Amino acid sequence: MTSTGTRPRIGIAIASGMLKGVFGHGVLSAFEERGLRAQVYGTSSSAVLSGGLAAVGRARATGVAYWHQAAAGAAGKGMSQVVLSSIEEYGPTLRDGLFRAGAPEFLLATSRVTNPAAAEITQGPGAKELGRQLLRNIFKGDRTWVEENLAAEVFSSYADASSDAADGAHADADARGGRPRLTPENFDAVSYASTRMMHAWSVPAEVGGEAYVDASYTCACPAREVAATGVSELIVIGADPFPVFRDIYASEEIVDGSTLDGATVRVIRPEDDLKVLGVDYAAASPEGLTGAYELGLAAGHGFADLRPGLLDPAGTPGL
């Protein structure tokens, strides 16, 4: 693990937000410029690739161009193909960087489907209507289907090889109280699974032969999981001006200034809804994306200015 000298042990958890995640990418790029590097990065859904790029020191080099490409693709070829293409493009860099000696721990949240009947629906033609219903349930505060059929599962690049199970990644890890192992071999599948919102993603997601759906249903922001790794400072990056919640059903608020597992929580989020710039969850203008990214840059630099003790004087090495 990278030595932190006199700095506290830092964790960063990035909330999902689809195209609004461009703000968080800006924050991470500013951190990279200033040498604010975490020992643990927790990601979910649309934050997986930007969080991974930050973990390997490539957030700033990639910048807003990644989001321009994603937004253009969403309009033309659909979200499944956008994500699969992004994983194909950035996967080699991430697989090379995240699993080398001295890399920070990388946590990647997913939602595992827990029974065959639900798996059949999520992998079949009924998935889109189910996805729409689950979105409607947000406004009713109804998590019943999620609680009965999904389980939050957070993969870790630091999980011991013995946590792998012969009949799937999760079983032995759950019994041990550990985490399923994220590896170069399953990274692409787990990354795609984390993003698969059923209402808009046509390609089903599987890891180790089991059905998975988007992390946001159960773990839109893995703050608790990052805190459990023993960090003392937990930076949480949101995509909206509203409170940051654990999942899209607002089951648990992640509160600025609170304490999770001994870690002090610091929340960074945009002051206004990014819609005013032209950035919504599933559609965005090029100008809006650039503006939202620059807001993230400014927020990240402002945060660093106020907390110089979190900065590494040696800077952040890239690949």
Side-chain angles (χ1 to χ4, degrees):
M1 185 177 299
T2 304
S3 172
T4 61
T6 59
R7 292 187 306 140
R9 180 172 164 81
I10 302 168
I12 297 177
I14 310 126
S16 63
M18 294 183 69
L19 292 176
K20 289 186 175 185
V22 66
F23 172 84
H25 196 134
V27 173
L28 294 166
S29 296
F31 285 178
E32 193 173 290
E33 290 180 1
R34 300 295 292 277
L36 199 166
R37 184 164 174 79
Q39 284 69 58
V40 185
Y41 289 83
T43 63
S44 173
S45 192
S46 61
V48 167
L49 290 180
S50 54
L53 290 165
V56 302
R58 299 291 295 172
R60 190 66 171 109
T62 305
V64 73
Y66 163 72
W67 298 92
H68 285 168
Q69 184 178 10
K77 56 186 180 182
M79 290 306 300
S80 285
Q81 291 306 317
V82 167
V83 174
L84 290 169
S85 296
S86 296
I87 292 171
E88 182 179 6
E89 179 174 353
Y90 296 102
T93 295
L94 296 174
R95 290 192 299 272
D96 179 58
L98 291 173
F99 301 100
R100 63 171 53 183
E105 182 171 7
F106 190 68
L107 302 180
L108 204 169
T110 63
S111 296
R112 176 169 55 86
V113 184
T114 58
N115 63 79
E120 184 175 358
I121 298 173
T122 62
Q123 304 296 84
K128 286 195 173 183
E129 179 51 39
L130 173 61
R132 294 187 189 101
Q133 183 59 55
L134 293 181
L135 291 180
R136 290 191 290 268
N137 288 351
I138 293 172
F139 302 101
K140 298 186 287 186
D142 182 2
R143 297 181 72 247
T144 304
W145 193 92
V146 168
E147 291 172 352
E148 292 177 350
N149 298 286
L150 300 179
E153 188 160 89
V154 182
F155 287 72
S156 169
S157 63
Y158 274 29
D160 189 89
S162 64
S163 68
D164 293 336
D167 60 345
H170 70 277
D172 188 50
D174 286 351
R176 293 170 59 255
R179 300 217 176 281
R181 187 180 179 214
L182 186 67
T183 69
E185 291 71 32
N186 68 16
F187 177 80
D188 289 6
V190 178
S191 296
Y192 176 72
S194 183
T195 73
R196 198 218 164 188
M197 290 296 284
M198 287 181 285
H199 71 285
W201 270 244
S202 58
V203 178
E206 288 190 355
V207 180
E210 297 191 63
Y212 283 74
V213 293
D214 194 287
S216 300
Y217 298 116
T218 61
C219 187
C221 184
R224 282 200 169 274
E225 288 76 8
V226 174
T229 65
V231 299
S232 56
E233 295 282 335
L234 174 58
I235 302 168
V236 175
I237 304 173
D240 283 298
F242 323 118
V244 179
F245 293 102
R246 177 169 174 79
D247 57 44
I248 57 175
Y249 297 95
S251 63
E252 177 188 357
E253 183 178 352
I254 302 165
V255 180
D256 184 54
S258 65
T259 301
L260 284 178
D261 248 341
T264 301
V265 178
R266 315 288 186 187
V267 176
I268 303 173
R269 59 193 180 201
E271 293 183 359
D272 298 305
D273 194 327
L274 299 179
K275 286 183 181 180
V276 301
L277 296 178
V279 179
D280 207 344
Y281 296 110
S285 68
E287 299 80 11
L289 288 167
T290 298
Y293 178 78
E294 290 174 349
L295 281 180
L297 279 174
H301 282 297
F303 182 91
D305 288 340
L306 294 173
R307 294 171 178 83
L310 301 184
L311 309 184
D312 182 356
T316 303
L319 287 178

